[in-house]
Amino acid sequence: MGSVRPRRSCLSVPGSSVKMLDKAQGLPADMVFMDLEDAVAPLAKPDARKNIVAALNDGGWSGKTMVVRVNDLTTSWTYRDVIEVVEGAGTRLDCVMLPKVQSAEQVVWLDLLLTQIEKTLGFEVGRIGIEAQIENARGLVNVDAIAAASPRTETIIFGPADFMASINMKSLQVGALNPDYPGDPYHYILMRILMAARMHDQQAIDGPFLAIRDVDGYREVAKRSAALGYDGKWVLHPGQIEVANEVYSPSQSDFDHAELILDAYEYYTSEAGGKLGAVMLGDEMIDEASRKMALVIAGKGRAAGMARTTTFTPPDA
Ligand code: GLV
Ligand code: MG
């Protein structure tokens, strides 16, 4: 994967709440997305746009990935959301999140609109990224084309609440396992999104867990998508942030081990190391595939700001 923004914890903040927009600035979330969609009542949307522009321009967000979620394209609000926020604070914005994406054309629409605003205001064309949220059956069936639709797209997000409603899933507990089903009911959806995202070097992000006081429940759900390879998960409450940052980072020992494999492999494949392709590192055999796996773990750890605690020493040094 190319250079990617940290997104272990993606904090949702309603654009209608100046107080929460204020508080979010001091929280240790990797990403903050200011919401204009489902967390904001229809009558509050015009003011929410203004709050978001002010918070982006005047807030202290350093180090955070800054995103605005606009309304989906079946509503009448989307174009005004994009125009008002990007014209008002486009230079402070990293990405626009488009929810309930159903087709590649919807992503192309957003790409073209962003390009027009960037050209009009003299912003760098193409700098603002797109996050595409998959929340219904049509979106999932079209996810490959959606992921391919624009070079701006940085991540594909699973929206479990809307998705469950869309497929008539017999549960109201978002993200939780169902005792009537002998497996993880979300496995196929998560994997389908992950494949589309990885095919285009994009991040895959897991959506919200609504029982915000059940931190153990949050951890359990997060660990399942992290185990598959997901890069992060939404957080709806400050109490979920540290858990997400931990679960979507490698453990210290995995990080150290990955860095060790990278160093050892570089040494053994070099002239000085004997130009070897497959070698023993301790009790394990490592080869080019090991290097690729190690690169993923090391990349996640480096993006999370981890420091290694061991070094590789060549055998005869
Ligand atoms: C998020 O938007 C969801 O529907 O889960
Ligand atoms: Mg949704």
Side-chain angles (χ1 to χ4, degrees):
M1 288 180 76
S3 102
V4 287
R5 305 180 204 276
R7 284 188 172 90
R8 294 167 305 170
S9 48
C10 305
L11 176 65
S12 166
V13 186
S16 50
S17 169
V18 174
K19 195 172 135 215
M20 286 167 96
L21 288 168
D22 229 42
K23 184 170 178 203
Q25 296 168 36
L27 296 174
D30 284 347
M31 180 183 122
V32 170
F33 74 90
M34 302 174 171
D35 198 15
L36 285 169
E37 203 219 16
D38 285 356
V40 178
L43 290 178
K45 292 189 195 278
D47 279 345
R49 293 183 188 126
K50 293 185 175 41
N51 297 341
I52 287 175
V53 169
L56 280 168
N57 284 328
D58 306 333
W61 301 104
S62 75
K64 292 183 170 47
T65 300
M66 295 308 298
V67 178
V68 170
R69 179 167 75 161
V70 297
N71 286 280
D72 83 90
L73 276 164
T74 63
T75 72
S76 58
W77 297 302
T78 325
Y79 77 103
R80 276 187 201 265
D81 291 343
V82 178
I83 291 170
E84 192 163 328
V85 170
V86 179
E87 282 196 349
T91 56
R92 307 292 300 255
L93 195 62
D94 295 312
C95 289
V96 173
M97 185 192 301
L98 191 61
K100 301 182 180 73
V101 178
Q102 306 201 44
S103 66
E105 288 76 11
Q106 296 189 334
V107 176
V108 172
W109 173 89
L110 179 56
D111 183 324
L112 291 172
L113 182 54
L114 287 170
T115 300
Q116 291 216 312
I117 301 171
E118 287 166 339
K119 282 183 176 168
T120 303
L121 296 197
F123 298 162
E124 181 188 339
V125 173
R127 192 196 61 81
I128 297 174
I130 291 176
E131 303 195 346
Q133 203 185 353
I134 301 298
E135 306 196 73
N136 52 42
R138 189 181 295 271
L140 192 68
V141 169
N142 291 331
V143 70
D144 290 334
I146 288 168
S150 163
R152 293 181 189 264
T153 304
E154 297 185 9
T155 143
I156 309 291
I157 304 162
F158 174 39
D162 275 301
F163 206 101
M164 289 166 73
S166 137
I167 62 170
N168 295 357
M169 203 180 246
K170 210 173 135 204
S171 166
L172 284 173
Q173 272 189 299
V174 172
L177 295 183
N178 184 334
D180 290 339
Y181 184 74
D184 177 351
Y186 307 98
H187 179 77
Y188 169 72
I189 311 167
L190 287 168
M191 267 307 202
R192 190 68 196 82
I193 288 174
L194 184 63
M195 292 307 123
R198 293 295 187 251
M199 182 172 165
H200 298 282
D201 284 345
Q202 294 158 357
Q203 290 180 321
I205 303 296
D206 194 4
F209 182 75
L210 305 187
I212 57 173
R213 290 187 212 297
D214 181 6
V215 176
D216 289 340
Y218 179 88
R219 182 187 296 274
E220 239 179 73
V221 176
K223 278 167 79 174
R224 284 202 291 271
S225 68
L228 295 180
Y230 269 63
D231 300 286
K233 181 171 177 63
W234 282 17
V235 295
L236 302 182
H237 186 269
Q240 297 176 330
I241 296 177
E242 295 292 358
V243 181
N245 287 347
E246 181 201 317
V247 170
Y248 293 95
S249 301
S251 68
Q252 186 67 49
S253 64
D254 281 353
F255 178 66
D256 285 342
H257 189 56
E259 293 284 13
L260 209 59
I261 289 175
L262 292 178
D263 284 354
Y265 191 71
E266 190 182 340
Y267 170 76
Y268 285 114
T269 51
S270 73
E271 194 80 44
K275 295 186 276 187
L276 302 171
V279 287
M280 293 303 287
L281 176 66
D283 288 339
E284 100 190 289
M285 176 165 275
I286 61 166
D287 66 3
E288 176 56 24
S290 322
R291 187 190 70 83
K292 289 197 177 83
M293 289 193 296
L295 211 49
V296 171
I297 306 293
K300 286 192 188 220
R302 290 175 200 168
M306 293 175 75
R308 59 191 295 183
T309 59
T310 56
T311 50
F312 171 70
T313 319
D316 39 335

